[in-house]
Amino acid sequence: MSIPQSLLEQSIQLNIQQALQEDLGDGDITAMLSPENEYASATVLSREHMILAGQPWVNALIQKFDPTVEIVWLKQDGEAVAAGETFLKLQGKARSLLSIERAALNFIQTLSAVATKTAHYVQQLEGLHTKLLDTRKTLPGLRIAQKYAVTVGGGQNHRLGLFDAFLIKENHIMAAGGIAQAIAQARQIAPNKPVEVEVETWDELDQAIEAQADIVMLDNFSQQQMIDAVKHVAGRCKLEASGNITLDNLALVASSGVDYISMGVLTKDVQAIDLSMRFSK
C-alpha cells in the first residue's frame, strides 16, 4: 500500500492542529518573557544516530504558526544523521521559535524513531525476497504519520485502515460461514480491494488458495511449515508471515521464502530519539 497524497496532507493538517492546540492552548505565556520584536536563531541536533523523518509535519507546523520563520534543512527525510550532528536551522521571532520548539521536536523524535527502527529491521532482510510491512498497531492519531515514517525507513505499508483492504480473520470467517464465503462476499463488497485471509492450519491455507485470496497470512506457522507453504502455494497467492517474529529471527523467517513479514513493533514500541534545540540571538 502507498499513502494517497490527499490523505497524507489531510493527516498532517490534523496532526499539527492538535499539536498546537494541546501545547499552546490560549497562548504561550512563557514565551512572553522574550521581547515581542526580538529575533533569534536555533539549531536542532540529534544526540544519537537516526534516520530523519517528519519534515512535512515540521514545515506545515511552522507555516501554520508563523510563516515568517526561515527553515533550513541540512538533511532530508530518509538520510542518516550522526550523533551530535545538526540537521535543522531556524531563524525568526524568538517568541515563535520558543513556542513551536516542543511540538516540532515531538514530531521529529517520534517519526525519526520509527524510521530508524524500520531501517534497522530492513537491514536484516538485505538480499532476501521478503518485504517488511507495518501494521495498524500505531499511536492514536498518528497512524498516517507513523506509516509515512516506515516508508522513510525502507519498509512498506500494510493496509492503512479498515477501508483500503480486507484482512479476514477468525471472527470474520465465522460470521460469514467459512473462508470461501468470506472471500466471495469481500469481492462483492469491494471488487477492487485486495483480499487477505489469516490462516492457522494447512486446511485453512488450502481453502484460502481455492477461494483465490490475494494474500494469505500464516499465523504462527513454524519455520518448516512456512517453507512447506511457500512450495505448496507455488505463486498462486502472496504469503505473509506474522506472529512471534523478532529482530533475532527475522532473517530466518524471511529465508522461508514468504513474500511479506508484518511487525507491529515498528510503530507500537517506539523509543523517541533524543534531540536538542539550541538558541542564539
Side-chain angles (χ1 to χ4, degrees):
M1 300 290 176
S2 60
I3 303 171
Q5 187 63 30
S6 60
L7 180 57
L8 181 63
E9 292 174 359
Q10 179 186 49
S11 297
I12 291 171
Q13 291 303 315
L14 287 172
N15 290 156
I16 66 170
Q17 181 179 350
Q18 183 178 27
L20 290 172
Q21 178 57 40
E22 69 184 4
D23 210 25
L24 300 180
D26 295 330
D28 182 356
I29 57 176
T30 312
M32 293 180 184
L33 297 174
S34 176
E36 183 176 3
N37 295 319
E38 185 172 70
Y39 282 74
S41 298
T43 57
V44 184
L45 61 85
S46 178
R47 297 186 184 276
E48 55 187 304
H49 167 81
M50 73 173 191
I51 302 298
L52 177 63
Q55 283 182 309
W57 279 261
V58 175
N59 290 340
L61 177 82
I62 295 175
Q63 178 66 27
K64 175 88 171 173
F65 185 76
D66 183 353
T68 67
V69 172
E70 181 183 351
I71 309 169
V72 178
W73 291 98
L74 304 180
K75 294 283 186 174
Q76 301 302 312
D77 275 8
E79 293 184 344
V81 178
E85 185 175 8
T86 296
F87 60 89
L88 172 62
K89 292 184 177 181
L90 302 172
Q91 188 168 0
K93 293 180 180 178
R95 286 189 179 185
S96 295
L97 299 183
L98 291 168
S99 293
I100 57 91
E101 175 184 5
R102 177 42 51 201
L105 295 188
N106 281 351
F107 283 121
I108 300 172
Q109 70 184 23
T110 302
L111 300 189
S112 295
V114 172
T116 304
K117 189 167 196 172
T118 300
H120 187 45
Y121 278 64
V122 167
Q123 286 177 355
Q124 308 304 309
L125 302 178
E126 187 173 352
L128 297 172
H129 161 77
T130 308
K131 304 301 181 184
L132 184 64
L133 303 178
D134 53 24
T135 71
R136 290 188 298 120
K137 296 176 182 177
T138 52
L139 300 177
L142 289 177
R143 168 72 57 78
I144 299 302
Q146 286 192 287
K147 283 182 171 283
Y148 165 87
V150 165
T151 65
V152 169
Q156 296 185 10
N157 298 144
H158 204 283
R159 58 179 182 164
L160 302 176
L162 299 174
F163 55 88
D164 59 335
F166 291 94
L167 178 48
I168 300 171
K169 298 189 176 186
E170 181 180 5
N171 289 337
H172 304 110
I173 294 169
M174 185 178 299
I179 290 177
Q181 294 91 325
I183 294 176
Q185 289 183 42
R187 299 292 188 199
Q188 291 180 347
I189 293 168
N192 298 321
K193 302 291 186 183
V195 178
E196 180 172 358
V197 181
E198 181 182 74
V199 303
E200 298 178 353
T201 67
W202 198 266
D203 179 59
E204 291 178 346
L205 173 60
D206 276 336
Q207 291 181 52
I209 295 171
E210 181 67 23
Q212 299 184 338
D214 297 308
I215 308 171
V216 175
M217 179 186 291
L218 306 175
D219 185 38
N220 289 305
F221 273 44
S222 69
Q223 182 70 17
Q224 188 58 53
Q225 285 175 322
M226 286 187 288
I227 293 172
D228 293 341
V230 170
K231 294 178 181 178
H232 180 66
V233 169
R236 286 177 287 175
C237 67
K238 299 292 187 181
L239 289 177
E240 176 184 332
S242 180
N244 295 320
I245 302 173
T246 66
L247 183 63
D248 292 335
N249 67 3
L250 181 60
L252 176 63
V253 172
S255 71
S256 68
V258 294
D259 300 285
Y260 307 112
I261 292 175
S262 56
M263 302 186 72
V265 70
L266 301 178
T267 52
K268 75 180 179 67
D269 187 15
V270 178
Q271 181 174 338
I273 299 293
D274 187 8
L275 304 176
S276 176
M277 182 181 284
R278 297 175 177 174
F279 286 80
S280 62
K281 295 181 181 180

